[in-house]
Amino acid sequence: MLAGWIVVLASFAYLGVLFAIAWHADRRADQGRSLIANPTVYALSLAVYCTTWTFYGSVGRAAATGIGFLPIYLGPTLMMVLGWFVLRKIVRVAKANRITSIADFVASRYGKSQLLGGMVTVIAVVGVIPYIALQLKAVSHSFSILAAVPEVVMPRAGEVPLLQDSALYVAAIMAAFTILFGTRHLDATERHEGMVAAIAFESVVKLVAFLAVGLFVTYGLFDGMADIFARARALPQLERLLTASDTAAGYGSWAALTFLSLLSVLLLPRQFQIAVVENVNEAHLKRAVWLFPLYLFLINLFVLPIALGGLLHFGPGGGVDADTFVLTLPLANQQGALALLAYIGGLSAATGMVIVETIALSTMVCNDLVMPLLLRRGWLRLRERTDLSGLLLEIRRWAIVVILMLGYAYFRLAGEAYALVSIGLISFAAVAQFAPAVIGGLYWKGATRGGALAGLSAGFAVWLYTLLLPSFAKSGWLPDDFMAAGLLGIELLRPQQLFGLTGLDEISHCLLWSLLANLGAYVGVSLWRAPDANEARQAGLFVDALRAEETGHWRGRGAVGGGTAAQVAELLALAGRFLGPDKARRAFERHAAARELSLDRLTADASLVHFAEAQLTGAIGSASARVLVASVVEEEPLGRDEVMNILDEASQARAYSRELEQKSQELTLATAELRAANERLRELDRMKDDFISTVTHELRTPLTSIRAFSEMLHEDPRIELAERTRFLGIIVGETERLSRLINQILDLAKLESGRADWTSVAVDLAPVIHEACASLSQLYKDKGVALTLEIEEPLPTVMADRDRLMQVMINLLSNAVKFAPAGCGRVKVGAGRTVMLDAAGRTEAALRVAVADNGPGIRPEDRETIFEKFRQGGQDVLTDKPQGTGLGLPISRQIVEYFGGRLWLEPVAAAEAGAHFVFTLPLPSGDNAEQQKA
Amino acid sequence: MTKKILIVDDEPNIVLSLEFMMKKEGFAVAVAADGDAALEQVAAFAPDLVLLDVMMPKKSGYEVCQLLRADPARAGLKIVMLTAKGRETEVAKGIALGADAYVTKPFSTKDLVAQVKLLLA
Amino acid sequence: MYRSRLTTQRLAAVFLLGCLLFNYPVLALFNKAVAVFGIPLLYAYIFLAWFGFILLVAVVVERRPD
């Protein structure tokens, strides 16, 4: 009733449907409306874990060991719970580092080692080949069974010639199909949306098919589960299946298988591909964590009923392989359509596995094995090629073909010696070797490339020796004497009783020794030396992958939940402790104002927590800030690492702040100096400004008189002669004043710029004083001021410019007469030797000249200011402005100082009236000596 | 009625020229040499116009101007500021303090007389 | 972070619970030739525990943030 051609047609039709789904999903992806961006699709695609092993093999396993098929599904259930941290971390790392396979992952973790990548690839390919063989075996058997209808015949491979072996054609068709699926174009991210959509669809198909068969067997052939179990209890051979073997080895084996499958669901290349590489959004994990285990639960619900039903139906040892019950039970009961559905379900399970597995493996082979070799050998002639994508696709296509053919070869060599599940477990044990390198690499920063290489090598070698080679030996393809006698006849080296360990099943045995060797080598060699810079950097990227996100999370939570007012106060207090209470309060107020809230209405939400952390980060570093803010917001205990981080940062901060303090002191000093210099410049500028303004004023004042009188004389010819004479006299006087002023300004300018070209000759000051007095005698006589001279004879000579000294004398004398009261004025000039302090503080002989008057005198506070330019003495004391330019004294002082002397106003007792000007001039050193002798 | 002018300056020659000028134009003239004297003379002489120098001992022209303007009884008094400092800021300051005119030295006698006549017209 | 940390801790606890439920010695307690409603005790126990476990995980991860 089921002709071979119908089965073939149905198979191709089904593959066509898969292809259509993939094509549609790819198109949707290109349009940006992804079909697979959905947590349910993600969870379903993870069910690629369930292969023909599950579909056919579980029943076989259940028929042999009862509940023993279950650890393979309990392990993944447990793993998915851990998936929330482990898988999420791997996904995060993979996305951040653009990782495209598990080989890539391991290589990248240990300093981007090509050797490691290649090694993982080899282990994966060798390890997974039995698993692929398992699929080929299951599909070809199911096809043979359907094609042999109406009889129920068990196929026997090895007996058929190669070209008539359906498994070969299955392998070829699957290779072609996978090539069509996975290598149509190249995607840098190695993501295959179409494939994922097809896999999710297949997961639904195989679940529906299996449940349909289960329901048919349980409720069609039997009267419900209770009925099946009741009948099974009646048969002694079946009754033992209802309980587990109650021995230590039984439980040990159970735990070992649970552990093995727990690792495999993470480490199988196809699981890594689907769970990590094809993951669209890590939030999808949230649903997968429970939906995928639920799928496993459902697909296993009817395994035991079908197994027991099959055994009851065909009878134990009834010539029907329990691995085929899913197919043979409907067939034996003339349910052709159901059998076809079951066949399609099995085909689904197989194609899903083969497609994803070979695509993942071909990517690894291409990227981590072939390309590095080609690049190293320089065979690519890269310069001549502009587009390598064609080459890459070509390599992958060949890799797919080779992998499937290897799978077929294993099937031919060893396939028949084992049940489906046992073949699969060999692969599981192989990929379990990745566990130390992958999981250790995620949590242990000290792991090194050497450690990973040593661990993988050791584990893989033990696996080869204890599991793969025996599988060949059992099939008769290797001499099996080494099995019984051990390698080289050493009994301790018997592959499945290594070092004499007995009592374990071969999988547990292999798992124990290989993981022991692997972990030992991994840890031991890693500890041999510290990670180099490259390894340390990658370790940081991998181990700390979730760190940044964890802080992000409290922000995220805050945005939803919001905190209490108490937390705001605590945050404020915390910030205050480091920033100062006032500054912190102001910052919080600004933050509140920016969000249009008052401080007391503020809640400790994401934004505020973030803000507080940012404030603290500036003060104490990011790690400390995060932990401290967390202590307020979360009240969680500090981890050791976090404490160490704080200590590290704190000591760095201390050193840094000391340095900073020193710098800031230097800076303060420099700033003070700069400020002083600036102040001085500003002062000079202001003085210059004032000077110009004053000079202008001083020049305009005589000009005003001159202009006014000349205009009046000019315009009014009727002015009397006496008036005219008087006005002209004023004009002449003011003109003289103007000229004097201009001369003095020029003098001053020269003096100040140091460009005065004065002679310095020996000058006898006595004649100079006499001459000055003589030139002013008329003025003194006019005002009635008495002038007395007290000059020591002979005066020593000084080195100076005679004319300049004359200028000083005239200036002092005219000042004196100006302020001396008319009629009773007295001016006294004295000159003689004295001693003065030179610049270095030594005494030296000098000439001293004093000019004293009995005028009103100078107030003590003005004693120095009168030497400033345009500060005429008594300006605000007298109503009559003294005649003068206000430059005389400054110029005189400059002259005296030019010749090394000093000019000052001597303080006088309050009883004495008048001003008492004194200047000294140093005597030449020769005269000094002479004077000392004398 | 003869208009009265008070001349305030600390430069005797400038006072002399201004006095001569104003008398010739037929004004009654009084003089003061500093700020305090100026305020006394304003009270005693009750001038119609003050020619006020800025740079003076005791009280500057600005201060005198300010005090005069603060006295409501002297509201009609005209003030002409005279200064040898011709900077913009100083002119502005004088005007701001309520001076009616601001003349920089050296001034043109004709212009000054015209200015005074204009203010007293 | 609080929420995420709490979920993480809960899941870790659930994982340990799972390891306990599906291994010796708890398993041995139910490994008896007894039937509950016709279903062998071990079989009934494992599937019920498994389902309850999945439910617990779902509740932990899908619970609305409180």
Side-chain angles (χ1 to χ4, degrees), chain A residues 432-448:
Chain A
Q433 305 307 322
F434 299 149
V438 170
I439 295 172
L442 277 179
Y443 294 97
W444 183 33
K445 284 189 185 174
T448 65

Side-chain angles (χ1 to χ4, degrees), chain C residues 8-38:
Chain C
T8 304
Q9 288 169 30
R10 285 174 180 162
L11 284 174
V14 169
F15 173 76
L16 292 177
L17 175 70
C19 292
L20 187 72
L21 286 180
F22 303 124
N23 266 305
Y24 184 86
V26 175
L27 223 46
L29 300 180
F30 296 90
N31 195 10
K32 296 197 170 83
V34 181
V36 201
F37 302 113

